[in-house]
Amino acid sequence: MTMVQETAKRILALLPGVDCGGFGGCGYPTCAACAEAIAEGGSIILCPAANTAAVAAIAEIMGVEPVEVEEKVAFVKCAGSAAGKERLAGCESCDAAKAAGFSRDECSYGCIGIGSCIERCKFDAMKLEDGNVIIDRDKCTGCEACLSGCIQEIIEMIPKDATNFIPCSSRDDEKKTLSLCGYGCIGCGDCALACPKDAITMVMGDKVDGRFAAIDYSKCEGCVTCTVKCRKKIIVDTLHDLTKAKEEVALVRCTGGSWGSFKLKKAGYESCGDVVKAHLDLDSMDVCEYSCVGLGDCVSACRYDAISNQYGVASVDPDKCVGCGDCMRACPRNKITMVPYIGVKQAACESEADPERRMEVCGMGCIGCGDCADNCPNDAIEMVDGHPDIDHEKCLNCGVCSYVCSRGLIKERPVPEYNYIQREALKAEKDERR
């Protein structure tokens, strides 16, 4: 056995030993061939699956300085089902599915979900669940074999200790992305503008107006800023709790006291959109014409199970709501608004009817007395068309309005103290950047 062969044998013992068939990052068909290439003077980090300890041992064998290795794992940059997964499920491979073509209402940039990439993985680190490719980060060695198996080129190698991810590869413009996928990046750029370390850039896509966010992990420090600022709330953050790290949540501007949804269901209406299209005279049906009709268009649009119908009216769970605004866009009656998550006061009614009529159709709404506005010490409340409108920039959360409201309508949303700490940390990072 020659010296090179002996050295290659020792190096081979340090490599994963699972042949990638030439699809791995080293470019060799077997680990033995990779070990031999290193023994002949190749890079000690030729195998991307070798961790820092293995590389250090290889460096000692080769008599060279050790190199610190950044361990990486695979990440699929898609979280939706808009790329025709259901329609193309019968195709034998992702390549065949793409060759068949995408329809106009499908995302041509997403994961097709057949799993051709899984066939390349020799470490049992990838599996298919309901059309979604799931990667086990503990099993993934970063060998890169799956990259060449993805015809969509949406698998990326990211640092193993990364905590922030953007699971979208769409290059379409905002309008099309919104129409195709609830999990798509709309290219607004808010995350890039807010990042205190300039770790996010907006990359131009194939279309003139299309662009998408990309993370430079050499700069990313895993803070919560991009997750908070993302309008669509698609930026995955495994370090922080997404439901706590947010600025706004949805509020339904109705208490539901008119029980309108039951009357409308009895009349044969199944969705809020149907009610709007019918141009009904709700007042003649003894339904508050300013109310949430409670037929669930917003419930269907919510991806986080944060909205439910409670006694005939939509109700938001602020702990589950991430502030993405999907429900607000889905409400055809514009009864949902975004309000600060911090504990300022909220008034869930915007009726403009006469006080007497309000009492007739709803026993829970605002009667427009104006006591809250008259008694606010900071002029944070204004009566608009007979209902209170709260300026959250002025509200000091003093509690006076809640005390004087005879209807018990103005309520405070309590927030855990650590949310304020997170907000102050974000503010400090932005101030430091200026």
Side-chain angles (χ1 to χ4, degrees):
M1 184 179 292
T2 66
M3 181 66 72
V4 171
Q5 290 174 326
E6 179 62 35
T7 301
K9 183 178 179 181
R10 295 172 62 193
I11 293 174
L12 179 58
L14 298 168
L15 300 182
V18 178
D19 298 336
C20 296
F23 299 116
C26 69
Y28 290 91
T30 64
C31 287
C34 177
E36 186 173 340
I38 297 173
E40 290 176 345
S43 171
I44 61 173
I45 58 171
L46 185 59
C47 173
N51 57 30
T52 299
V55 170
I58 293 172
E60 185 176 354
I61 291 172
M62 295 300 296
V64 297
E65 289 294 320
V67 177
E68 186 172 347
V69 177
E70 182 178 44
E71 296 183 38
K72 295 187 176 183
V73 293
F75 174 68
V76 180
K77 295 186 293 181
C78 178
S81 300
K85 287 183 178 181
E86 185 174 345
R87 182 177 66 85
L88 299 169
C91 295
E92 61 181 17
S93 68
C94 294
D95 294 53
K98 185 168 185 177
F102 297 100
S103 65
R104 294 182 61 183
D105 59 349
E106 293 173 348
C107 174
S108 59
Y109 303 98
C111 175
I112 301 172
I114 294 175
S116 296
C117 54
I118 298 176
E119 298 172 5
R120 299 286 175 87
C121 181
K122 304 301 181 182
F123 296 93
D124 192 31
M126 306 177 78
K127 62 181 178 180
L128 200 63
E129 289 185 358
D130 298 324
N132 296 312
V133 176
I134 308 298
I135 297 176
D136 187 330
R137 296 178 62 169
D138 292 328
K139 291 183 178 180
C140 180
T141 62
C143 72
E144 302 180 8
C146 59
L147 299 186
S148 60
C150 180
I151 188 66
Q152 293 290 76
E153 299 182 351
I154 60 172
I155 300 180
E156 177 185 17
M157 303 308 298
I158 63 172
K160 193 167 187 175
D161 59 356
T163 59
N164 293 49
F165 320 99
I166 302 176
C168 179
S169 300
S170 175
R171 271 69 163 170
D172 282 317
D173 58 32
E174 176 180 350
K175 183 178 180 180
K176 186 171 183 180
T177 300
L178 281 172
S179 68
L180 296 181
C181 181
Y183 297 86
C185 172
I186 59 175
C188 66
D190 286 358
C191 55
L193 291 172
C195 179
K197 303 299 178 182
D198 293 323
I200 301 181
T201 55
M202 301 306 297
V203 183
M204 292 305 297
D206 300 339
K207 309 296 192 309
V208 175
D209 297 325
R211 59 181 190 158
F212 59 99
I215 297 177
D216 181 346
Y217 287 103
S218 67
K219 296 179 180 179
C220 178
E221 295 187 350
C223 76
V224 72
T225 308
C226 61
T227 304
V228 171
K229 287 296 182 181
C230 177
R231 294 185 194 180
K232 289 292 291 175
K233 288 298 180 288
I234 64 163
I235 300 182
V236 179
D237 181 343
T238 58
L239 182 64
H240 304 89
D241 185 346
L242 179 62
T243 63
K244 300 295 190 297
K246 56 201 172 191
E247 291 185 326
E248 295 182 319
V249 291
L251 173 73
V252 181
R253 295 294 300 271
C254 178
T255 57
S258 69
W259 301 88
S261 65
F262 299 101
K263 298 175 183 177
L264 291 167
K265 284 182 180 178
K266 188 175 181 179
Y269 295 96
E270 297 181 354
S271 74
C272 307
D274 290 341
V275 172
V276 172
K277 291 176 184 176
H279 301 290
L280 298 177
D281 182 359
L282 295 176
D283 190 59
S284 67
M285 300 173 68
D286 284 333
V287 174
C288 175
E289 57 187 312
Y290 304 96
S291 70
C292 162
V293 295
L295 295 180
D297 289 21
C298 56
V299 177
S300 300
C302 181
R303 293 172 279 138
Y304 301 94
D305 192 32
I307 306 182
S308 59
N309 273 324
Q310 299 290 332
Y311 304 107
V313 67
S315 177
V316 177
D317 182 339
D319 290 331
K320 291 183 178 180
C321 177
V322 299
C324 68
D326 283 350
C327 60
M328 181 176 67
R329 289 182 284 271
C331 178
R333 287 174 55 76
N334 299 316
K335 294 302 163 187
I336 300 179
T337 186
M338 305 307 295
V339 298
Y341 181 58
I342 58 174
V344 294
K345 300 297 184 288
Q346 318 292 349
C349 179
E350 55 181 4
S351 176
E352 299 176 14
D354 292 335
E356 294 80 8
R357 184 56 178 162
R358 296 187 198 188
M359 291 295 291
E360 288 174 357
V361 298
C362 178
M364 300 169 66
C366 172
I367 58 174
C369 66
D371 286 352
C372 54
D374 293 340
N375 288 278
C376 179
N378 209 46
D379 294 327
I381 303 179
E382 179 183 2
M383 297 303 292
V384 178
D385 296 323
H387 60 84
D389 183 67
I390 301 175
D391 185 337
H392 297 111
E393 295 294 326
K394 292 181 179 180
C395 179
L396 298 179
N397 204 28
C398 64
V400 172
C401 58
S402 296
Y403 179 76
V404 300
C405 179
S406 61
R407 308 286 288 166
L409 177 73
I410 302 179
K411 298 179 181 180
E412 177 183 344
R413 174 175 292 121
V415 179
E417 181 64 24
Y418 57 78
N419 188 69
Y420 291 101
I421 296 174
Q422 287 179 333
R423 290 176 60 83
E424 288 303 310
L426 289 176
K427 181 177 181 297
E429 286 179 338
K430 285 190 287 187
D431 290 344
E432 182 181 325
R433 191 182 179 202
R434 291 172 181 163

